[in-house]
Amino acid sequence: MSEQFQGRSSHGQLEKKFEPAIENTKPTQQIRNITVTGVIRDASKTIHYPKQPKIQIIKVPQRCGSNQTVCSVQGFSTLTYDDIRPKEKEESVINKIMRLFTREVDPCKCLPYQNNTCIKAKEWLGNYDVDKLKNKYSNLLESKCEPKIIKQINLDVERTHPLKNYPQKLSDLQQVLIAYSKYNKIVGYMQGMNFVAAGLIYHSDNFVAFELLRKLIDLLQMNDLYSPMSPGLSKHIQLIDYLILTKMPDLYQHFCINGVKVDMFCASWLFSLFGMMIPIQKQVKLFDCIFRYGWTYIYQLIIGFLLYHQEILMSEDMTGIICILSQQNYRIDDNELEVDWDELLDASLNVKISKTFIQEMHMRFDTKIQTFKI
């Protein structure tokens, strides 16, 4: 097992890199005001993040009983950061701020009510012509769409829990999904796309989110997964089954003894690209790695997720295993099983899976007979 996944407690948690969270404090205690300098915005409104921003931490009286920390970034509006607790050690606070404001880790600090395209979305998209993309998107929206597709999209948009508190973003999501269904008439719309698109809309304007969705589906060659009857699903399930067997033989044997099959828990992960599981604010690293490594990283993340929970999974029967791996337990509005997603997304990169091997196996899969030609 990789050292990244050692140090698990009996509840399946990785040892925290940061100090434990402190419960809500009394109104008489203190919180911190954090001032970050050295972050600039140029004439084109592009944000530039220094490698080592200057961070000043000032303790102030807590008046409203909130445990949130106010973070003021030079030249920008004030942000509220929930992940820093009132009594957390200063070194830990600085580490977390560095994770937010250093370009090497994650320069994005999007808020779901903003309507603009952030620096990360621009990186994923690469070179593009704004006017051309806007026209393409507008033309698609003006064309006709099958009523049954619109009906299904409307139903699924309402179920897209990461954006449930942001009506405008849900409306944007509906438009992007309708536009894509018109663009890709072979696929149309498939459940799971809504979670993928939601993660992209969080970081971009509608027309950019549409183009990112198109680029991502093309990059991962997901037509066979999103097409009716999902002929490509078996390809991924068989590969994941093989990877669990070779990377985690004890867990694989435990699954077999308890009658647990990969498709019982993994299909929703694949259709949503983990969008059902990972809080939308944590998906920057996910999209970074998917756009860079493709399916290889998705498989790494699946193995990493199972390694993260291996100890508790080994003690459960079928019902318990499926319950632990169900996406319902990781909904951001009802989080029963807490996961340090930042650490898990990073640690999964250490799972050794050959990109060349994955590409070769994908090429050898025959969708007609649903097996690999070796």
Side-chain angles (χ1 to χ4, degrees):
M1 182 185 301
S2 169
E3 291 182 0
Q4 294 289 335
F5 294 97
Q6 293 178 0
R8 300 278 302 286
S9 72
S10 59
H11 297 289
Q13 299 295 304
L14 288 172
E15 287 185 344
K16 301 296 183 182
K17 291 182 178 178
F18 311 116
E19 292 294 319
I22 304 298
E23 298 294 332
N24 287 351
T25 55
K26 297 179 181 179
T28 56
Q29 295 186 351
Q30 293 182 326
I31 59 175
R32 269 77 60 89
N33 268 359
I34 300 175
T35 303
V36 181
T37 58
V39 182
I40 60 174
R41 191 197 313 247
D42 62 22
S44 66
K45 297 185 178 181
T46 299
I47 302 172
H48 299 275
Y49 297 84
K51 291 185 177 180
Q52 292 188 345
K54 296 178 181 179
I55 300 173
Q56 181 183 13
I57 300 177
I58 304 173
K59 293 184 178 180
V60 296
Q62 184 180 16
R63 304 182 180 201
C64 60
S66 169
N67 66 350
Q68 295 177 325
T69 294
V70 176
C71 180
S72 301
V73 185
Q74 182 184 28
F76 300 87
S77 58
T78 299
L79 305 174
T80 301
Y81 190 40
D82 299 309
D83 199 30
I84 297 175
R85 304 303 177 185
K87 289 187 177 181
E88 192 164 353
K89 290 183 179 179
E90 191 165 304
E91 180 182 358
S92 172
V93 173
I94 291 176
N95 284 338
K96 288 186 175 181
I97 295 298
M98 289 293 284
R99 289 178 67 87
L100 280 176
F101 293 103
T102 55
R103 182 170 177 77
E104 290 87 348
V105 181
D106 176 11
C108 173
K109 181 60 178 175
C110 281
L111 298 174
Y113 48 79
Q114 292 177 334
N115 290 314
N116 54 16
T117 298
C118 79
I119 189 172
K120 295 305 296 184
K122 292 177 181 178
E123 285 182 10
W124 301 331
L125 194 56
N127 296 327
Y128 64 97
D129 185 318
V130 174
D131 292 334
K132 186 176 180 180
L133 289 185
K134 283 184 177 179
N135 290 335
K136 178 181 178 180
Y137 180 70
S138 297
N139 291 337
L140 285 169
L141 288 179
E142 291 174 1
S143 61
K144 293 183 178 180
C145 183
E146 293 184 26
K148 65 178 182 180
I149 292 180
I150 295 178
K151 181 179 179 180
Q152 186 61 57
I153 287 175
N154 290 340
L155 287 172
D156 288 346
V157 164
E158 293 299 320
R159 300 167 182 161
T160 310
H161 54 80
L163 294 178
K164 72 172 189 175
N165 294 324
Y166 307 99
Q168 181 56 50
K169 285 294 183 181
L170 287 175
S171 176
D172 294 343
L173 175 62
Q174 178 201 41
Q175 295 299 304
V176 169
L177 293 173
I178 288 175
Y180 186 81
S181 71
K182 297 175 182 178
Y183 167 78
N184 189 345
K185 295 183 179 180
I186 296 176
V187 168
Y189 169 76
M190 174 68 76
Q191 289 179 313
M193 279 186 188
N194 51 317
F195 288 96
V196 179
L200 299 172
I201 286 173
Y202 186 83
H203 296 282
S204 59
D205 294 298
N206 289 13
F207 70 95
V208 175
F210 162 78
E211 189 63 19
L212 286 171
L213 181 63
R214 182 204 63 76
K215 181 178 179 179
L216 191 61
I217 291 176
D218 287 351
L219 174 70
L220 298 177
Q221 298 179 342
M222 296 180 74
N223 273 8
D224 63 352
L225 184 63
Y226 283 149
S227 296
M229 306 303 293
S230 303
L233 178 61
S234 179
K235 169 179 63 180
H236 300 295
I237 294 297
Q238 290 181 54
L239 265 176
I240 294 165
D241 188 86
Y242 170 78
L243 291 171
I244 298 173
L245 170 63
T246 55
K247 302 292 182 183
M248 311 174 68
D250 291 342
L251 183 63
Y252 186 87
Q253 182 180 21
H254 185 67
F255 280 177
C256 290
I257 292 173
N258 287 276
V260 175
K261 297 181 179 180
V262 173
D263 57 356
M264 292 180 177
F265 59 84
C266 214
S268 62
W269 301 355
L270 297 172
F271 284 119
S272 70
L273 298 182
F274 270 87
M276 288 182 173
M277 305 276 283
I278 302 175
I280 203 165
Q281 300 88 346
K282 303 289 185 180
Q283 290 181 22
V284 174
K285 181 70 175 182
L286 173 71
F287 285 120
D288 269 344
C289 292
I290 291 178
F291 276 112
R292 183 173 181 180
Y293 302 111
W295 277 109
T296 303
Y297 181 73
I298 298 170
Y299 297 146
Q300 287 178 310
L301 181 56
I302 290 171
I303 298 301
F305 187 80
L306 294 174
L307 283 167
Y308 190 96
H309 293 93
Q310 184 173 14
E311 183 178 331
I312 191 170
L313 289 171
M314 291 292 292
S315 66
E316 297 287 344
D317 59 10
M318 177 193 282
T319 302
I321 291 169
I322 299 302
C323 180
I324 291 168
L325 299 179
S326 168
Q327 74 273 8
Q328 294 300 321
N329 289 325
Y330 301 89
R331 289 169 61 109
I332 59 174
D333 56 340
D334 185 22
N335 196 344
E336 295 181 15
L337 295 175
E338 182 182 357
V339 174
D340 187 334
W341 286 107
D342 289 326
E343 188 164 5
L344 178 55
L345 289 165
D346 283 332
S348 295
L349 285 167
N350 294 318
V351 177
K352 293 183 179 180
I353 298 176
S354 168
K355 185 176 182 178
T356 302
F357 167 75
I358 296 302
Q359 291 174 339
E360 289 179 353
M361 293 302 292
H362 280 190
M363 292 176 62
R364 291 175 180 272
F365 187 76
D366 189 325
T367 55
K368 292 181 179 180
I369 60 176
Q370 293 288 287
T371 190
F372 294 94
K373 293 181 177 180
I374 305 299

